[in-house]
Amino acid sequence: MPTNPKEPRDLIKVDPKPRDDTSAFSLVHLTAYSVHWLDMWRIPTTYENISVLNARLFPADFGMAGFPELPDGLRTNRSLLQMRPKYRGFATSNPRKGVYLTDKGRAEVARVIKAIGLPTLNGEPTNVETIAVDPRAPKNKGRSYNPAQDVED
């Protein structure tokens, strides 16, 4: 029966993804995937939790050199910085509250999920609905300032 991690300590039970499946994606994409699943599982998206999940899911990319069973926090930190609006725009973050994916980040995560699938916990698939994001969907963002409105008033 599918289960989900219920607390941060349960992240240790997450199974690694095969390197062949993940090699097409950047470390930033893989980190966005981890942030997404922490959010879906309602586990805080703190630096520590993201570091542990990255190392569990992608040990070849986020395991410490010489100690692959331990997370390399510096790689995760660099990925988190690259996710911010100044660079790739995949996420925003607050050191006290966590990391939050943007629409662009969620669209990229949908691509990663399609390619590498859902995470597993002790060999069992997790029981979470995935996000359904169509990257081609138009953004219905209104203008923050509409000059025509000023002319009418």
Side-chain angles (χ1 to χ4, degrees):
M1 181 168 148
T3 62
N4 295 332
K6 297 191 181 6
E7 59 185 38
R9 289 289 300 165
D10 293 339
L11 296 175
I12 301 295
K13 300 173 188 171
V14 175
D15 301 318
K17 290 289 186 185
R19 178 75 176 115
D20 294 341
D21 296 348
T22 64
S23 61
F25 295 102
S26 70
L27 298 181
V28 175
H29 284 86
L30 300 179
T31 300
Y33 179 87
S34 294
V35 169
H36 166 74
W37 286 110
L38 288 170
D39 188 44
M40 291 291 105
W41 295 327
R42 291 179 174 69
I43 294 175
T45 55
T46 63
Y47 167 77
E48 294 83 4
N49 292 341
I50 297 167
S51 294
V52 169
L53 187 55
N54 271 349
R56 292 297 303 157
L57 287 169
F58 316 112
D61 295 309
F62 291 99
M64 191 179 294
F67 302 93
E69 68 280 1
L70 298 175
D72 186 345
L74 291 176
R75 286 198 114 181
T76 295
N77 187 51
R78 283 192 301 272
S79 295
L80 289 171
L81 291 173
Q82 286 291 316
M83 290 173 66
R84 299 190 73 201
K86 182 177 178 181
Y87 299 101
R88 302 233 186 158
F90 287 7
T92 60
S93 62
N94 179 319
R96 291 173 190 85
K97 295 183 180 179
V99 178
Y100 305 96
L101 293 174
T102 61
D103 289 340
K104 183 178 179 182
R106 283 189 287 278
E108 291 299 316
V109 167
R111 282 188 337 109
V112 177
I113 290 171
K114 186 175 180 180
I116 69 174
L118 306 176
T120 58
L121 195 70
N122 291 331
E124 295 289 326
T126 56
N127 187 23
V128 175
E129 295 286 326
T130 62
I131 54 173
V133 176
D134 183 358
R136 298 167 296 156
K139 296 178 182 175
N140 295 326
K141 290 185 175 181
R143 292 180 148 228
S144 59
Y145 173 72
N146 186 352
Q149 184 67 34
D150 283 349
V151 173
E152 290 174 8
D153 291 341

